[in-house]
Amino acid sequence: MSEKLAVAVLGAAGRMGSEAVAAVEAAEDMELVAALGRTDPLETLVSAGARYVVDLTVPDSTEANVRFAVEHGMHAVVGTTGWDAERLGRLADLLETSPGTGVLIAPNFALGSVLASAFAAKAARYFESVELIELHHPDKVDAPSGTAVRTAQLIAAARAEAGVAASPDATATALDGARGAEVDGVHVHSVRLRGLVAHQEVLLGGPGEQLTIRHDSFDRASFMPGVLLGLRQVAGHPGLTVGLDGYLNLND
Amino acid sequence: MSEKLAVAVLGAAGRMGSEAVAAVEAAEDMELVAALGRTDPLETLVSAGARYVVDLTVPDSTEANVRFAVEHGMHAVVGTTGWDAERLGRLADLLETSPGTGVLIAPNFALGSVLASAFAAKAARYFESVELIELHHPDKVDAPSGTAVRTAQLIAAARAEAGVAASPDATATALDGARGAEVDGVHVHSVRLRGLVAHQEVLLGGPGEQLTIRHDSFDRASFMPGVLLGLRQVAGHPGLTVGLDGYLNLND
Amino acid sequence: MSEKLAVAVLGAAGRMGSEAVAAVEAAEDMELVAALGRTDPLETLVSAGARYVVDLTVPDSTEANVRFAVEHGMHAVVGTTGWDAERLGRLADLLETSPGTGVLIAPNFALGSVLASAFAAKAARYFESVELIELHHPDKVDAPSGTAVRTAQLIAAARAEAGVAASPDATATALDGARGAEVDGVHVHSVRLRGLVAHQEVLLGGPGEQLTIRHDSFDRASFMPGVLLGLRQVAGHPGLTVGLDGYLNLND
Amino acid sequence: MSEKLAVAVLGAAGRMGSEAVAAVEAAEDMELVAALGRTDPLETLVSAGARYVVDLTVPDSTEANVRFAVEHGMHAVVGTTGWDAERLGRLADLLETSPGTGVLIAPNFALGSVLASAFAAKAARYFESVELIELHHPDKVDAPSGTAVRTAQLIAAARAEAGVAASPDATATALDGARGAEVDGVHVHSVRLRGLVAHQEVLLGGPGEQLTIRHDSFDRASFMPGVLLGLRQVAGHPGLTVGLDGYLNLND
């Protein structure tokens, strides 16, 4: 019988962290060996026997947490933001000294969202037109969403590489804003509606046909299957991986 | 057995007119007695025994056509644009001299589109948030579409009358255009995509729920059921009616 | 300044009841004067000065609760199920003895759902084809949902009254179940999917066009605006009203 | 400057064939050198100098057409049905004698449809639930559509290979047909609606999230970009390829 993964959650008192604690406890192939809050010492990871660390803390502490894990040979799955190029470079250097250790840093753990973005970029090479609609609750302060901007950038890059022309648009007279924002030439529309959570739709059109790829996030629970998948695969991916799509077999 | 309606089509060589000719010929309760092109004399209507006239011509000739019909006691169903307040006033005056005659002037004969606008305005009184997305082929030169602008105006008027506050929106930083155009305070987003024809979606949101009313026009054939419905009901609605919704029993 | 509505909630410890308690407390024009659980005596309603009662209890106790309210001149808004024709008849008789008192019995308080059903029935008279898709979480034990069955019945009744033929269907060879269930001749399809809550889509089709009316319930919070609307209007609708649509001005 | 592709269309008088003739004529990198009907001799392909053949004929003649092309070193793009295992085997044998020649046999040339099926199969490994809805015009005689059956089979195979459990379903009481047809354990729902052409939606659900992949075919024009893509790539794929997805870089 295979042993259970010994998992510790950092940031266990936060909204995402407490969901992760529950998800790890519910997973039959995992054992929760530690759940640390802001003031708990990292040494607890060692004494608890953690082999896997989930970091869902804050930008100020995530780098120190992950370095501690790697230095102790623990694999890490990281959902905290704030990993810029400089931090990533330092972490990659550190990982060279611990060649069997894996770290996954993912801005988004919702499997559906990661898949939707990857599919949209693949498909965008084959369609004359592509636009993007994202829909969120009305308390959101930025528009478009970060996910929508990243998806549009992926789409634009895939089209540029494939030599696809810009989406056709004969608009000659328009009300200000009607045609949305442009992100690298891709039109992006942001809807804000009470009752919604986080939703995104990529529309691709060619002569006589349309392909639509839509993702709906109804609740934070949507991140947990991605966190568990990360924990199950991180040991098999030594070194640094950025983005959960690196673990999805999209090319099979 | 009830007699067939004796129908004449004006503008019979045009795109809409030729569809109307085919639709009238296929209707079991109608007889096509005349199909007139641009140069055919209106007197043909009399000699052919027309009792009902469908006008699908051009703004320059529609007023004279309809006046001729009314003066000869023929009911008229009119899809031609160009009927401003002045023309409508003159027509209403004329109809007072012919009290049994009915005229329907409709900017839109797609039943689904007319119903969608009416439902959206009714529902908009009960929801915290409402936004509108219209989607068309990329050869369209204006944005938003005329139908979208009219629908947004209807929605805004219904909310104002019911005392509903503006849709909430916490957006603080936005890319230019991301939140769409505002029509009387209603956000309207215009998508342009190869493969599409004419589509519109009204999104209404409240705590924990969403209502979506969507209309898709795939083809000009969508106007014909509305034209036939108009012909069947115009004699029962003497005087001037503007808008097909005046014939739909939305209040039953 | 207008006085606040004095509201009591029966079944306050239940899932719906506790939401109602919170909603009444948050409403600026209402005051929560009592919140009763299963074992609390109904006399508390009198001593607390309740003028409005929300009943969200169980089928076994709802009739006695509502009778008590009416006998004490309190208006009642009722979301509990179990009101068959016999109970409704007895209640109507009782209300004749208290002509100024209003009771609303509603199987569904989600405004969007009530509107969607009403619109679907109105529209179904004008389209050649209509089908219904309902989508729920996979722990639901019945299919189709009760709301879907009621909506299909409303649609079928509206079409029958308007003399509309059955939706066309040339299917000659089909896998068992592919074409869904038939409810009064309307095809109904039930999807069960992890992540969903309660969703329903009515699809109406005619030559070259489609009208889609979709309702999404993401969360029980969606019932509260309907409960509050009921409380605000019940005094203005003396006697018995069944269905929240009786309070919505769908015919304006 | 690169030379134009010398293309011949077989079955040029048919519905698909005449679209292909128009598409090839409109393509700047192609020259239509022959357009053959049922009674035209295949030798015309040689005298016309065809290097590429599009076969859009009938099951009875497609094999002889393709063999003639291969024997004369012409590449072939084939949309005709009727290629069973035996025919494919004979063709593969023939192609071994002509190693530089390519043949593409594709049951579906709509890029969006091919992509949608491929994406659905990839994604189905990562979601707890998956169901399929296909929607067509009401004159269709079979349900579910062939494309829906194939997509469901691809999904089922991908889940089986990945060891994913069956989609959860607590349904205990159901109207006959409500839960759709089962194809290899995947629930498939068939909607028939006037106004529609051919549409398919794969719904994937996990805790708190949904991924939807939808394809709409509005018109036969949707097949032509796939036919042109096939012509441009067939020479670069010597031997036999079945399915347009073999030419799409889905694994980049």
Side-chain angles (χ1 to χ4, degrees), chain A residues 63-87:
Chain A
E63 187 177 9
N65 294 342
V66 176
R67 294 188 71 88
F68 182 92
V70 172
E71 285 163 356
H72 291 79
M74 301 167 188
H75 309 286
V77 169
V78 182
T80 316
T81 56
W83 284 87
D84 56 22
E86 199 183 317
R87 285 180 166 190

Short mmCIF file of all heavy atoms in Angstrom, two decimals, chain A residues 63-87:
data_model
loop_
_atom_site.label_atom_id
_atom_site.label_comp_id
_atom_site.label_asym_id
_atom_site.label_seq_id
_atom_site.Cartn_x
_atom_site.Cartn_y
_atom_site.Cartn_z
N GLU A 63 8.15 34.09 0.08
CA GLU A 63 9.49 33.69 -0.38
C GLU A 63 10.27 32.98 0.73
O GLU A 63 10.87 31.93 0.50
CB GLU A 63 10.27 34.91 -0.89
CG GLU A 63 11.59 34.45 -1.53
CD GLU A 63 12.40 35.59 -2.14
OE1 GLU A 63 12.05 36.77 -1.93
OE2 GLU A 63 13.39 35.29 -2.83
N ALA A 64 10.23 33.54 1.93
CA ALA A 64 10.95 32.90 3.04
C ALA A 64 10.39 31.52 3.33
O ALA A 64 11.13 30.56 3.59
CB ALA A 64 10.86 33.79 4.29
N ASN A 65 9.07 31.38 3.24
CA ASN A 65 8.45 30.08 3.48
C ASN A 65 8.94 29.03 2.49
O ASN A 65 9.28 27.92 2.86
CB ASN A 65 6.91 30.19 3.35
CG ASN A 65 6.30 31.07 4.43
OD1 ASN A 65 6.94 31.33 5.46
ND2 ASN A 65 5.08 31.53 4.20
N VAL A 66 8.91 29.41 1.21
CA VAL A 66 9.27 28.45 0.18
C VAL A 66 10.76 28.10 0.28
O VAL A 66 11.15 26.93 0.13
CB VAL A 66 8.90 28.98 -1.21
CG1 VAL A 66 9.35 28.02 -2.30
CG2 VAL A 66 7.38 29.18 -1.30
N ARG A 67 11.60 29.09 0.55
CA ARG A 67 13.04 28.81 0.69
C ARG A 67 13.27 27.83 1.85
O ARG A 67 14.07 26.89 1.73
CB ARG A 67 13.82 30.09 0.94
CG ARG A 67 13.79 31.05 -0.26
CD ARG A 67 14.75 32.23 -0.06
NE ARG A 67 16.13 31.83 -0.17
CZ ARG A 67 16.82 31.79 -1.32
NH1 ARG A 67 16.25 32.17 -2.45
NH2 ARG A 67 18.07 31.39 -1.32
N PHE A 68 12.56 28.04 2.95
CA PHE A 68 12.70 27.13 4.09
C PHE A 68 12.33 25.71 3.66
O PHE A 68 13.03 24.74 3.97
CB PHE A 68 11.79 27.58 5.24
CG PHE A 68 11.92 26.72 6.47
CD1 PHE A 68 12.82 27.05 7.49
CD2 PHE A 68 11.15 25.57 6.62
CE1 PHE A 68 12.95 26.23 8.62
CE2 PHE A 68 11.28 24.76 7.75
CZ PHE A 68 12.17 25.08 8.74
N ALA A 69 11.22 25.59 2.95
CA ALA A 69 10.76 24.26 2.51
C ALA A 69 11.83 23.60 1.63
O ALA A 69 12.24 22.45 1.88
CB ALA A 69 9.44 24.37 1.76
N VAL A 70 12.31 24.32 0.63
CA VAL A 70 13.28 23.74 -0.30
C VAL A 70 14.56 23.35 0.44
O VAL A 70 15.14 22.27 0.21
CB VAL A 70 13.59 24.74 -1.44
CG1 VAL A 70 14.74 24.23 -2.31
CG2 VAL A 70 12.33 24.95 -2.29
N GLU A 71 15.01 24.21 1.34
CA GLU A 71 16.24 23.90 2.08
C GLU A 71 16.09 22.64 2.92
O GLU A 71 17.09 22.01 3.28
CB GLU A 71 16.61 25.10 2.96
CG GLU A 71 17.19 26.25 2.12
CD GLU A 71 17.19 27.58 2.85
OE1 GLU A 71 16.68 27.64 3.98
OE2 GLU A 71 17.68 28.57 2.26
N HIS A 72 14.85 22.30 3.25
CA HIS A 72 14.61 21.08 4.03
C HIS A 72 14.08 19.94 3.16
O HIS A 72 13.54 18.96 3.66
CB HIS A 72 13.64 21.37 5.19
CG HIS A 72 14.27 22.25 6.23
ND1 HIS A 72 14.40 23.60 6.08
CD2 HIS A 72 14.87 21.94 7.43
CE1 HIS A 72 15.00 24.12 7.14
NE2 HIS A 72 15.31 23.13 7.97
N GLY A 73 14.23 20.09 1.84
CA GLY A 73 13.85 19.01 0.93
C GLY A 73 12.35 18.76 0.83
O GLY A 73 11.92 17.70 0.39
N MET A 74 11.56 19.75 1.22
CA MET A 74 10.11 19.58 1.10
C MET A 74 9.66 20.18 -0.24
O MET A 74 10.11 21.24 -0.64
CB MET A 74 9.38 20.33 2.23
CG MET A 74 9.78 19.87 3.62
SD MET A 74 9.17 21.03 4.87
CE MET A 74 9.97 20.38 6.35
N HIS A 75 8.73 19.49 -0.90
CA HIS A 75 8.13 20.02 -2.12
C HIS A 75 7.10 21.09 -1.75
O HIS A 75 6.45 20.99 -0.70
CB HIS A 75 7.44 18.90 -2.90
CG HIS A 75 8.33 17.71 -3.11
ND1 HIS A 75 9.37 17.72 -4.01
CD2 HIS A 75 8.35 16.48 -2.54
CE1 HIS A 75 9.98 16.55 -3.99
NE2 HIS A 75 9.38 15.78 -3.09
N ALA A 76 6.93 22.08 -2.63
CA ALA A 76 6.02 23.18 -2.28
C ALA A 76 5.04 23.50 -3.41
O ALA A 76 5.42 23.52 -4.59
CB ALA A 76 6.82 24.44 -1.94
N VAL A 77 3.80 23.75 -3.02
CA VAL A 77 2.74 24.17 -3.95
C VAL A 77 2.28 25.54 -3.46
O VAL A 77 1.83 25.68 -2.32
CB VAL A 77 1.58 23.16 -3.94
CG1 VAL A 77 0.37 23.71 -4.68
CG2 VAL A 77 2.04 21.84 -4.55
N VAL A 78 2.42 26.56 -4.31
CA VAL A 78 2.33 27.95 -3.85
C VAL A 78 1.22 28.69 -4.60
O VAL A 78 1.25 28.80 -5.82
CB VAL A 78 3.67 28.68 -4.09
CG1 VAL A 78 3.60 30.10 -3.57
CG2 VAL A 78 4.81 27.91 -3.45
N GLY A 79 0.24 29.23 -3.86
CA GLY A 79 -0.82 30.01 -4.47
C GLY A 79 -0.72 31.49 -4.14
O GLY A 79 -1.52 32.29 -4.62
N THR A 80 0.26 31.86 -3.33
CA THR A 80 0.42 33.25 -2.93
C THR A 80 0.95 34.08 -4.10
O THR A 80 1.78 33.60 -4.87
CB THR A 80 1.42 33.34 -1.75
OG1 THR A 80 1.10 32.31 -0.82
CG2 THR A 80 1.35 34.69 -1.09
N THR A 81 0.46 35.32 -4.23
CA THR A 81 0.95 36.19 -5.30
C THR A 81 2.22 36.90 -4.86
O THR A 81 2.65 36.77 -3.72
CB THR A 81 -0.11 37.24 -5.68
OG1 THR A 81 -0.45 37.97 -4.49
CG2 THR A 81 -1.36 36.58 -6.23
N GLY A 82 2.81 37.66 -5.74
CA GLY A 82 3.97 38.46 -5.40
C GLY A 82 5.29 37.87 -5.90
O GLY A 82 6.36 38.37 -5.56
N TRP A 83 5.23 36.82 -6.70
CA TRP A 83 6.45 36.21 -7.23
C TRP A 83 6.85 36.90 -8.53
O TRP A 83 6.47 36.48 -9.62
CB TRP A 83 6.22 34.71 -7.45
CG TRP A 83 6.24 33.95 -6.15
CD1 TRP A 83 5.18 33.73 -5.33
CD2 TRP A 83 7.37 33.38 -5.53
NE1 TRP A 83 5.59 33.04 -4.21
CE2 TRP A 83 6.94 32.81 -4.30
CE3 TRP A 83 8.74 33.29 -5.85
CZ2 TRP A 83 7.82 32.17 -3.42
CZ3 TRP A 83 9.60 32.64 -4.98
CH2 TRP A 83 9.14 32.09 -3.78
N ASP A 84 7.69 37.93 -8.43
CA ASP A 84 8.16 38.60 -9.65
C ASP A 84 9.39 37.88 -10.18
O ASP A 84 9.84 36.88 -9.63
CB ASP A 84 8.46 40.07 -9.35
CG ASP A 84 9.45 40.24 -8.21
OD1 ASP A 84 10.21 39.29 -7.92
OD2 ASP A 84 9.45 41.30 -7.58
N ALA A 85 9.92 38.39 -11.30
CA ALA A 85 11.03 37.72 -11.99
C ALA A 85 12.24 37.56 -11.06
O ALA A 85 12.93 36.53 -11.09
CB ALA A 85 11.41 38.50 -13.25
N GLU A 86 12.49 38.56 -10.23
CA GLU A 86 13.66 38.50 -9.36
C GLU A 86 13.53 37.36 -8.34
O GLU A 86 14.46 36.57 -8.16
CB GLU A 86 13.78 39.85 -8.64
CG GLU A 86 15.15 40.13 -8.08
CD GLU A 86 15.15 41.45 -7.31
OE1 GLU A 86 14.55 42.44 -7.83
OE2 GLU A 86 15.71 41.50 -6.20
N ARG A 87 12.35 37.29 -7.71
CA ARG A 87 12.12 36.22 -6.74
C ARG A 87 12.19 34.85 -7.40
O ARG A 87 12.74 33.90 -6.85
CB ARG A 87 10.73 36.37 -6.12
CG ARG A 87 10.66 37.49 -5.09
CD ARG A 87 9.25 37.58 -4.52
NE ARG A 87 9.22 38.41 -3.32
CZ ARG A 87 8.18 38.51 -2.51
NH1 ARG A 87 7.08 37.81 -2.77
NH2 ARG A 87 8.24 39.25 -1.44
#
